[in-house]
Amino acid sequence: STLPDSVLVSPLSAVPAGMAGASFTHEEFYPSTSATALRTGVPVAEEDYARRAHALGVAGMVTYGLRSAVSVPMTSAGSFTGVLYAADAQPLRFGESEIAFLQQLANVLSSAMSQSASKQKVLFQARHDALTGLPNRGVLRTAIETSLAAALPAGGETGLLLLDLDGFKDVNDSLGHAAGDLVLEQVAMRLSAAAGKGSLVARLGGDEFAVCFGARTSAAQLEAAADRLTGALLTPFDVAGLGVPLSASIGLVVAPDHGSDASTLLRHADVAMYRAKAQRTGWAMYDEQVDHARAVRLTSISELRQAIRDGDLELHYQPIVTLSDGRCAEVEALVRWRHATRGLIYPGDFVPLAEQTGLIGELTAWVIERAVSDLEGWRGHGRPLRCAVNLSVDALTHRSIARDLVDRVIEHRDIITVEITESALADARATRTLRELAAAGVSCAIDDFGTGYSSLAALKSLPVSTLKIDREFVRDLVSSSQDLAIIRSVVQLAAALSLAVIAEGVETLATGERLAEMGIELAQGFYYARPMPAADVGAWLAAHDSSRPADRR
Ligand code: C2E
Ligand code: CA
Ligand code: CA
């Protein structure tokens, strides 16, 4: 038999709560098959709406051209999960065999729906604290890393704080654990409300909480947040009508001043929090002198200067591929520091230091020169390869540094392209430098697009040629409809402004395929290739870019 004209699935969450198994007052006016099916737990068919046209609501069905219908309850593990409703333009359309077929369909849908719901529940539980529903330590770490990645390369600041309740043990001891739990739930709610937009409140366990702030959070903003949070706890907590007063001690850290990775920042925030507790000051900002951190940092500045001069830096390259044929369109140069005792150090751990100390000019000049000479070596592989170099905003704003770098980039504009972060678009000196580069024919990409605050006006008037979508939006693309929507709108924006799009951080085939479907041409990520030493690039090109020799002129 053919399928009915229309089928509607309503999960129980879309039906008013308590409907399953209950009777409904409106049923007297509107004998809805779905309501009856949910109440009785068996399929309910309507032979012909036209014969009941006097009943409220049913006349509408006829107007819509529907004559017969059936509602089949959906159950999973003995409880209702929804109802499947099918309707048809013909009267008497649903006999025993049709109903049996729809019941099977309902069973399949129901188990699929409950599977996906329980999967989401497991995912949620793995990432959240059961008592307060707040994100846990793992989520906090990811949030810190995201904020750092957005703030530090652009020369910005971000921060976090650790909060520990004072005297919470007394509440537990004197009023019992149930009372303690009630207090913790209220603390969680008040902190979430007071933390402010763009921040993440997590529970680390016991009476310890943490708040991670977004990129562009200054020390002053962090202190203001600490005041707000302390203020939010001033009102006594309600435990069965009893007002329980509690205070907290807070430790603050600002990145990159107090560390540029999650572990260091959390450790330093802990130190500051204990000082706040000991001195009863409410909150305390991490103080480098307390932890002798200043001394450690000073040695690494001179070490870094020495490393640049001695050639202890290394340049690794990551291919950017054309999605349609998998060929290498360009490579991106990513700097590393080969440290004598600490091993290979990644840019997140020393580029911010170079930016703060003005060493970024020397570092970037070294990167450009090294890339140019490496590219010479790969010319033998066919068409000349182009290489993207990351330019810090700091490098673009310091007049003397910018002058030197601009000259170097322009000299090699046929093989060197540049990547800058969105924050450069907001800086007048940086945009002036970019205009100069573009006027000379240098291709410029906006890096980590989507994590900063670029105004559309800036994009429209700026001579950039490419948007690199940040890997934050690409990572969960296959499962996140939100990320999908964001990428879609970036693609539309790019098309309207005639810009190319590169998706960063592609780690799976499925992600690459989805990006290609959306019309994105270029991608970069571990799935295609990890950043590799210069010595490996030739072999990679030979193995993955087999159509290249045909290109040779
Ligand atoms: P970026 O410009 O966004 O560079 C891409 C980063 O993403 C690289 O990290 C790369 O290893 C990583 N990556 C690439 N594909 C994937 C993937 O599929 N999954 C994941 N999870 N990550 C992927 P890296 O090398 O640690 O560089 C970090 C940042 O340091 C760069 O971010 C860039 O902002 C900065 N940087 C690197 N080299 C330089 C440089 O020469 N000068 C300046 N100013 N900054 C640099
Ligand atoms: Ca980049
Ligand atoms: Ca990037």
Side-chain angles (χ1 to χ4, degrees):
S1 76
T2 55
L3 284 170
D5 290 342
S6 80
V7 174
L8 205 90
V9 178
S10 310
L12 207 54
S13 53
V15 187
M19 210 160 171
S23 71
F24 316 97
T25 48
H26 74 274
E27 230 183 321
E28 295 153 25
F29 308 105
Y30 175 26
S32 147
T33 50
S34 294
T36 316
L38 275 173
R39 177 165 53 76
T40 58
V42 295
V44 176
E46 173 62 63
E47 291 184 342
D48 190 353
Y49 280 125
R51 280 202 233 142
R52 294 218 215 197
H54 61 278
L56 200 69
V58 164
M61 300 296 189
V62 181
T63 329
Y64 286 126
L66 297 178
R67 292 290 292 277
S68 58
V70 62
S71 289
V72 181
M74 296 166 63
T75 50
S76 175
S79 63
F80 287 105
T81 56
V83 61
L84 180 127
Y85 170 85
D88 202 277
Q90 300 301 320
L92 293 166
R93 173 69 166 74
F94 299 98
E96 225 169 88
S97 68
E98 281 83 0
I99 292 177
F101 168 74
L102 290 168
Q103 181 70 69
Q104 271 174 15
L105 186 62
N107 293 344
V108 171
L109 286 172
S110 174
S111 81
M113 274 162 49
S114 65
Q115 257 174 39
S116 107
S118 62
K119 211 163 117 191
Q120 297 210 330
K121 200 170 154 204
V122 168
L123 264 179
F124 184 88
Q125 282 168 350
R127 298 166 55 104
H128 293 81
D129 165 48
L131 175 66
T132 60
L134 288 179
N136 60 19
R137 191 182 286 270
V139 177
L140 175 76
R141 284 192 91 89
T142 314
I144 297 172
E145 275 151 17
T146 306
S147 286
L148 290 172
L152 302 193
E157 289 181 326
T158 180
L160 68 102
L161 60 81
L162 277 189
L163 181 150
D164 196 280
L165 297 177
D166 302 327
F168 179 71
K169 194 177 169 296
D170 294 343
V171 177
N172 260 344
D173 290 350
S174 56
L175 300 172
H177 283 277
D181 284 356
L182 273 177
V183 169
L184 289 174
E185 282 178 53
Q186 292 173 54
V187 169
M189 277 188 290
R190 292 196 198 174
L191 294 181
S192 301
K197 247 181 92 185
S199 61
L200 178 124
V201 181
R203 179 172 176 223
L204 303 184
D207 56 348
E208 205 185 354
F209 297 82
V211 185
C212 162
F213 295 86
R216 297 201 172 194
T217 304
S218 64
Q221 286 168 319
L222 214 64
E223 292 176 356
D227 280 332
R228 271 202 317 278
L229 293 169
T230 336
L233 303 180
L234 282 180
T235 317
F237 293 87
D238 180 15
V239 179
L242 207 70
V244 179
L246 266 183
S247 62
S249 296
I250 299 177
L252 311 178
V253 277
V254 182
D257 273 2
H258 303 151
S260 48
D261 63 82
S263 307
T264 310
L265 289 168
L266 283 167
R267 204 172 58 239
H268 290 171
D270 216 31
V271 173
M273 191 270 289
Y274 276 108
R275 189 155 48 80
K277 220 174 244 281
Q279 300 175 347
R280 299 180 177 279
T281 49
W283 55 259
M285 179 74 75
Y286 177 73
D287 183 339
E288 282 159 322
Q289 273 162 357
V290 171
D291 217 21
H292 308 296
R294 181 167 292 279
V296 173
R297 214 182 70 160
L298 284 177
T299 55
S300 51
I301 292 171
S302 61
E303 264 188 315
L304 178 58
R305 180 178 292 114
Q306 208 53 46
I308 299 171
R309 294 187 182 155
D310 294 353
D312 288 342
L313 297 184
E314 276 179 25
L315 209 48
H316 286 207
Y317 296 89
Q318 187 177 30
I320 298 169
V321 304
T322 310
L323 280 168
S324 57
D325 59 8
R327 291 179 43 160
C328 182
E330 193 176 350
V331 291
E332 177 178 1
L334 296 160
V335 70
R336 277 99 180 82
W337 177 3
R338 179 73 64 183
H339 192 279
T341 54
R342 289 161 67 196
L344 196 64
I345 307 179
Y346 284 83
D349 289 333
F350 66 93
V351 167
L353 186 66
E355 287 167 345
Q356 286 164 34
T357 52
L359 284 172
I360 191 67
E362 267 184 72
L363 184 146
T364 312
W366 179 88
V367 167
I368 295 169
E369 291 315 308
R370 171 49 56 92
V372 166
S373 81
D374 284 339
L375 286 164
E376 288 297 327
W378 302 322
R379 258 184 205 277
H381 287 274
R383 69 190 142 90
L385 196 56
R386 298 214 302 176
C387 177
V389 167
N390 292 283
L391 289 189
S392 292
V393 180
D394 296 69
L396 295 174
T397 50
H398 289 91
R399 188 182 291 276
S400 58
I401 298 179
R403 183 72 265 139
D404 171 59
L405 295 179
V406 163
D407 291 343
R408 285 171 196 264
V409 171
I410 291 177
E411 184 188 343
H412 301 290
R413 67 192 147 202
D414 53 330
I415 48 172
I416 296 291
T417 67
V418 300
E419 292 187 6
I420 50 132
T421 51
E422 270 177 293
S423 48
L425 302 186
D427 185 295
R429 284 165 304 176
T431 54
R432 211 176 307 129
T433 315
L434 286 176
R435 286 224 171 75
E436 189 182 347
L437 285 173
V442 175
S443 300
C444 175
I446 308 273
D447 210 349
D448 307 339
F449 187 73
T451 58
Y453 305 79
S454 53
S455 81
L456 294 180
L459 274 184
K460 188 179 142 222
S461 64
L462 260 190
V464 297
S465 57
T466 309
L467 301 181
K468 289 190 84 171
I469 305 181
D470 190 66
R471 59 177 174 275
E472 184 62 22
F473 307 111
V474 175
R475 198 182 53 201
D476 300 326
L477 169 65
V478 175
S479 59
S480 160
S481 55
Q482 245 174 341
D483 290 347
L484 193 76
I486 290 172
I487 294 185
R488 243 194 214 115
S489 57
V490 174
V491 170
Q492 276 170 9
L493 176 71
L497 298 172
S498 308
L499 302 174
V501 175
I502 301 175
E504 290 189 316
V506 180
E507 295 184 352
T508 65
L509 172 64
T511 307
E513 286 177 343
R514 180 59 66 87
L515 291 165
E517 277 164 32
M518 289 197 282
I520 291 180
E521 285 175 4
L522 298 165
Q524 178 179 3
F526 294 168
Y527 174 71
Y528 306 104
R530 291 190 174 250
M532 60 187 105
D536 298 346
V537 173
W540 188 91
L541 288 174
H544 292 84
D545 220 350
S546 49
S547 45
R548 184 175 288 274
D551 249 10
R552 226 173 266 186
R553 292 192 186 141

